[in-house]
Amino acid sequence: MSDVTRARHGRPVHHWRRDVVELAALFTAVAVADGVANLIGHGPDGPALLVISALALVATAAFHTWWARRHGHAPPADDTGARPAGTGTLWRMRTTVRDEPGSLASLCAALAGRHVDILSLQTHPLAEGTVDEFLLRAPAELEGSAITRAVSLAGGAGTWIERADAHDLVDVPTRVLGLAARTAVDAAELPLALRQLLGRCTIRSLPARPAGGGPGPQPVPADGMLEDTVMRLRAPEGGVITVERPYLPFTPTEFARARALVELDARLGPRIPRGEDVLTLPEGNAITVRRADTGDLAVARRMHERCSARTLSMRYHGPVGDADRYLNHLLSPRFGRTLAAQSASGRIVGLGHLLWDGDETEVALLVEDEWQHRGVGTELLGRLVAMAVEAGCASVYAVTQASNTGMVAAMRGLGLPLDYQIEEGTLVITARLDAAPAATRPPYDDRRETHQSPAGLRD
């Protein structure tokens, strides 16, 4: 039995020695029977030898039964920890072991000695050793520090541990395939898929040509770059995707998985779900809400032309003439998700953006003047926040001005805890998503539905 097999079963090393003794007894019986059979076929005393072989088999079977009862695989009653199966605390642990026989077995024996079950194990070979990543179930009273101390005494080095949850019970191939499927449907899923694949990390997508001008990021090789706690990957449109995880270095295996997801995204090209919602505003007008991307660039610019300078200034916080320059970036699924509100005539009258900003998520709204104060912004914001909840974001923030009463009212209408800060003359409103949204819509999907806006909410 290999080290990995023993690790997955979480059995102390001394248990496999019992297996060896039992197997030896069985092999002895088989050998005796085989030898006797040969003699029977070639000697004159066949019947007598047959009786002797039967007695030998009976004696061997009796010995095997006695040994199994006296030395069963189950540990003694006082060594089980006396906890029901499936209870305890889940932990994710990573440690480096020497690349030599017996190293992993010693570590597994140390975990078994603390009544820790090994639910899964991944190995990441390195030049100087092997990084082993475990999913553990430990007694609820056992602290993480006690686990790492036992691992250290058993030869583990550079041990890292954190709490896990039920999502970690899904095996790695299944999880990676699921992330690949989500990425294949929606290009905006790539940053979220990378975060779920690599754990707590900061992901930034840098365009080759920044919307505000200035030099772009340094180019990276086609195969990307891995530097300890930072990996850089070439984005499909020519920019750079930077992933940072300061608390835990990336392994070559993790780098290869991340690179494979990015390559899949590049091969599939631009894509977004094509579903839409048709809903009726309080005053009776029907609008359609759908996903938008860079294919809507021309109609989005025409909406800009219909907006007043004040409306554009409140949205972009800068010279009105620069507004069109940001649209290509905002509409790209690479940097987030965009929802468009479309009138019955097919004209886009509002845009809502959910933008990935490293560890944070920004929401932004633009509604052309003629359609303001009709509930369009409220409908867009509710769906954007629902998307953020679905993506696992802890909060969303909006950058606006105190005079933008429509945006302030829309954020208040979410029914979420809000935090207000003034930064360089602008108002930053942050909504915490740990409370259930009171006025948000279900996550946007391919269903076609008709809704009535809740009374009293206006943008």
Side-chain angles (χ1 to χ4, degrees), residues 274-278 288 445-451:
R274 293 298 178 184
E276 60 185 27
D277 283 351
V278 178
T288 300
D445 56 22
D446 291 336
R447 296 172 296 178
R448 187 181 183 92
E449 301 177 350
T450 301
H451 299 287

Side-chain angles (χ1 to χ4, degrees), residues 30-42:
V30 173
V32 171
D34 184 62
V36 172
N38 288 332
L39 289 174
I40 290 173
H42 298 88

Side-chain angles (χ1 to χ4, degrees), residues 313-330:
S313 176
M314 283 192 173
R315 166 62 186 89
Y316 294 106
H317 317 289
V320 175
D322 294 338
D324 285 355
R325 290 197 303 160
Y326 295 102
L327 273 178
N328 192 65
H329 174 90
L330 293 172

Side-chain angles (χ1 to χ4, degrees), residues 363-365 367 375-382 385 398 400 404-416 418 420 429 431 439-440 456-459:
V363 288
L365 297 174
V367 179
V376 175
T378 296
E379 293 289 349
L380 292 176
L381 182 60
V385 171
T400 185
N404 190 350
T405 56
M407 186 65 182
V408 175
M411 292 293 288
R412 287 176 177 171
L414 293 171
L416 295 169
L418 300 179
Y420 300 85
I429 308 174
T440 58
L457 294 183
R458 301 287 187 272
D459 56 84

Side-chain angles (χ1 to χ4, degrees), residues 51-117:
V51 172
I52 295 172
S53 66
L55 292 174
L57 286 172
V58 170
T60 303
F63 172 78
H64 173 74
T65 302
W66 171 82
W67 179 270
R69 290 178 177 175
R70 180 176 177 83
H71 302 280
H73 292 308
D78 59 353
D79 189 43
T80 61
R83 69 180 190 275
T87 63
T89 304
L90 294 176
W91 296 91
R92 289 178 58 225
M93 184 186 74
R94 181 176 291 192
T95 191
T96 303
V97 299
R98 298 184 304 276
D99 189 11
E100 57 186 48
S103 297
L104 180 56
S106 299
L107 191 149
C108 295
L111 292 174
R114 302 305 299 266
H115 313 301
V116 177
D117 298 330

Side-chain angles (χ1 to χ4, degrees), residues 293-361:
D293 62 4
T294 51
D296 296 291
L297 186 59
V299 291
R301 283 176 174 164
R302 287 198 289 272
M303 187 191 77
H304 273 186
E305 295 172 357
R306 296 191 298 271
C307 292
S308 66
R310 180 179 183 275
T311 294
L312 293 176
S313 176
M314 283 192 173
R315 166 62 186 89
Y316 294 106
H317 317 289
V320 175
D322 294 338
D324 285 355
R325 290 197 303 160
Y326 295 102
L327 273 178
N328 192 65
H329 174 90
L330 293 172
L331 293 172
S332 172
R334 187 70 54 232
F335 307 106
R337 299 174 182 172
T338 298
L339 292 180
Q342 188 172 294
S343 68
S345 63
R347 189 175 72 181
I348 289 182
V349 298
L351 290 172
H353 305 285
L354 185 71
L355 303 170
W356 315 133
D357 182 16
D359 295 330
E360 300 179 317
T361 307

